[in-house]
Amino acid sequence: MASLCLNSFPVPPSSLPRKPTETSLSSSSYPSLLVDNNDNNYNHSALKPIVVSGDPPTFVSAPGRRILAVGDLHGDIKQARSALEMAGVLSSDGQDLWTGGENVLVQLGDILDRGEDEIAILSLLRSLDKQAKANGGAVFQVNGNHETMNVEGDFRYVDSGGFDECNDFLEYINSSEDDWEQTFTSWVDVSERWKEDRTMSKSYWGTWNLLKRQKGVIARSVLFRPGGPLARELARHSVVLKVNDWLFCHGGLLPHHVAYGLERMNKEVSEWMRGLHENDNAPKMPFIATRGYDSVVWNRLYSRDAPDLVDYQAKQVSSILDETLQAVGAKSMVVGHTPQTTGVNCKYNCSIWRIDVGMSSGVLNSRPEVLEIIDNQARVIRCKRDRHSELQAAAYT
């Protein structure tokens, strides 16, 4: 897919020391060919391995890598594939092959709700992660508010097809003789066939759909409840992730989140999703990360562009953002959560990038856009046919 890449901004290097408890994703180095959608080639040879700290991942050192960030997907696998192909990390032949070499892909959460292929997208990303690691690259996800809502049992925004997919997937894993990883990663290959079979059966069964819907709700509860198969899958991912000098989270990080501890938040959310707090007196849900308007997954402070936002309020927001970035040793933050009708953009001297463009057909059905970071420069990859031809933003200082 042809694309137009706009606006590059240099980012000063960071001197933040690495964190302990590091795990290498790759013990060997491979030459990589990093290709964008303007046919620009980036050759890196003998790259150092990607090093991950924290479980789930919190700090990542990925020297020399091209970093691609993709925003909210909300159950739309067609748009998800378009975005990944545009980023140059997914084959366009329908084989769902990793083509990103040693690139690093970060997805900003809200894969769930408002669409009918949520599990298929999760399966696709897990498959790509496995392939990426074999090539010296990596795929990371951060959980958003819709992931935490579903683990909590809040299904208000689930598409009817989403319930159907849960019912199909539960039946699929119960009948599979393979291990979990093989079963889960293969779902993206067979989900379309299951959907077609289900659609055909609807024309014959009529009122049977009511019972099937009830089964879908029960299936979703089994899959996403704390300790459930898909809740445990989500528990592999963070709510905040730092890759090199770049901070990634769904809603937005604030100073009190940093003071609480990034690894601590990630660990507590992961343990809650895995169901480790069900039989003790610990809080069932890490409130600071997952609940409330100022939690990591719900915060919209950096994404507001209300016309009545007066100058002193904007300065306050900028000051809070600067304090947060300095506290964690980052140069910029990348967030999703709030659809940007003007496309991917940055604000506050490009200390914050907002990359949720509402691409899902269940949201705005807008054309996909991707944030690309190469050698401390950020730019937007978007389709040439996109009506948004310019991105107004200030360069870093």
Side-chain angles (χ1 to χ4, degrees):
M1 181 182 294
S3 65
L4 176 62
C5 302
L6 302 174
N7 289 358
S8 296
F9 302 108
V11 185
S14 171
S15 59
L16 183 71
R18 294 306 315 149
K19 298 291 183 179
T21 320
E22 297 177 334
T23 302
S24 174
L25 291 182
S26 172
S27 58
S28 58
S29 298
Y30 300 90
S32 66
L33 181 64
L34 308 181
V35 183
D36 74 2
N37 291 292
N38 287 325
D39 298 323
N40 294 321
N41 297 334
Y42 303 91
N43 291 294
H44 294 274
S45 59
L47 293 179
K48 294 181 180 179
I50 296 173
V51 178
V52 178
S53 172
D55 183 18
T58 303
F59 300 97
V60 177
S61 172
R65 263 66 172 193
R66 175 179 181 244
I67 303 171
L68 293 311
V70 176
D72 305 31
L73 300 175
H74 281 301
D76 192 327
I77 196 164
K78 181 180 178 181
Q79 291 285 67
R81 284 194 171 107
S82 295
L84 296 175
E85 289 175 18
M86 184 183 298
V89 299
L90 179 70
S91 62
S92 58
D93 58 3
Q95 297 300 307
D96 290 335
L97 300 177
W98 173 260
T99 59
E102 293 178 285
N103 294 350
V104 172
L105 171 69
V106 183
Q107 197 282 322
L108 269 291
D110 274 13
I111 291 171
L112 301 184
D113 291 342
R114 299 195 168 104
E116 61 180 13
D117 293 301
E118 309 153 286
I119 306 173
I121 296 175
L122 291 171
S123 171
L124 173 61
L125 290 174
R126 180 69 181 275
S127 175
L128 291 177
D129 180 37
K130 185 177 179 180
Q131 297 176 58
K133 287 178 179 177
N135 288 277
V139 175
F140 296 100
Q141 296 168 238
V142 295
N143 287 316
N145 59 304
H146 284 269
E147 280 72 49
T148 62
M149 288 168 67
N150 275 269
V151 177
E152 190 182 4
D154 185 344
F155 299 156
R156 286 176 294 167
Y157 301 97
V158 180
D159 184 87
S160 60
F163 286 119
D164 291 337
E165 188 189 25
C166 286
N167 195 39
D168 291 345
F169 182 69
L170 187 59
E171 183 178 343
Y172 178 68
I173 62 177
N174 286 337
S175 63
S176 176
E177 297 180 356
D178 297 322
D179 61 21
W180 165 254
E181 183 175 1
Q182 179 61 36
T183 301
F184 181 56
T185 56
S186 66
W187 175 247
V188 67
D189 300 323
V190 301
S191 61
E192 191 63 32
R193 176 173 57 81
W194 278 72
K195 188 193 302 184
E196 291 173 357
D197 292 345
R198 181 207 319 143
T199 302
M200 290 182 60
S201 68
K202 282 183 178 179
S203 62
Y204 294 101
W205 288 102
T207 56
W208 174 252
N209 289 336
L210 291 175
L211 179 58
K212 193 169 185 180
R213 179 55 41 80
Q214 291 178 335
K215 290 178 63 179
V217 174
I218 295 172
R220 195 173 187 91
S221 300
V222 169
L223 293 168
F224 283 103
R225 69 187 180 195
L230 290 181
R232 292 197 305 270
E233 186 64 28
L234 295 177
R236 299 175 61 249
H237 310 305
S238 313
V239 291
V240 58
L241 179 74
K242 184 171 182 283
V243 182
N244 298 339
D245 295 331
W246 295 78
L247 199 60
F248 298 89
C249 56
H250 182 68
L253 202 68
L254 297 170
H256 72 279
H257 299 145
V258 181
Y260 189 82
L262 305 190
E263 287 187 273
R264 179 184 176 187
M265 280 194 301
N266 284 338
K267 182 180 179 181
E268 289 179 355
V269 174
S270 179
E271 289 180 349
W272 164 63
M273 288 182 166
R274 285 185 285 156
L276 300 185
H277 292 328
E278 288 185 347
N279 299 318
D280 59 29
N281 295 323
K284 289 188 176 181
M285 176 181 289
F287 193 91
I288 191 171
T290 63
R291 294 293 298 272
Y293 71 94
D294 62 347
S295 64
V296 178
V297 301
W298 282 99
N299 180 25
R300 298 186 194 272
L301 181 65
Y302 306 130
S303 300
R304 294 185 306 174
D305 277 328
D308 59 348
L309 190 64
V310 297
D311 186 54
Y312 82 90
Q313 289 177 317
K315 288 181 179 178
Q316 278 186 318
V317 175
S318 180
S319 177
I320 292 171
L321 177 58
D322 288 343
E323 181 183 348
T324 304
L325 294 175
Q326 290 176 16
V328 78
K331 297 301 180 183
S332 185
M333 189 186 306
V334 184
V335 299
H337 190 40
T338 304
Q340 304 293 307
T341 56
T342 58
V344 173
N345 64 85
C346 66
K347 197 174 181 182
Y348 304 118
N349 202 25
C350 282
S351 291
I352 187 78
W353 284 87
R354 294 91 66 90
I355 70 167
D356 176 15
V357 295
M359 71 178 78
S360 170
S361 58
V363 185
L364 299 178
N365 199 29
S366 62
R367 292 191 176 97
E369 298 185 11
V370 177
L371 182 67
E372 177 190 64
I373 304 164
I374 300 177
D375 295 333
N376 279 331
Q377 295 210 1
R379 64 178 179 175
V380 181
I381 302 175
R382 56 166 62 102
C383 179
K384 283 182 178 178
R385 294 173 297 169
D386 198 319
R387 67 182 184 277
H388 308 304
S389 60
E390 292 195 16
L391 176 64
Q392 296 182 350
Y396 284 98
T397 57

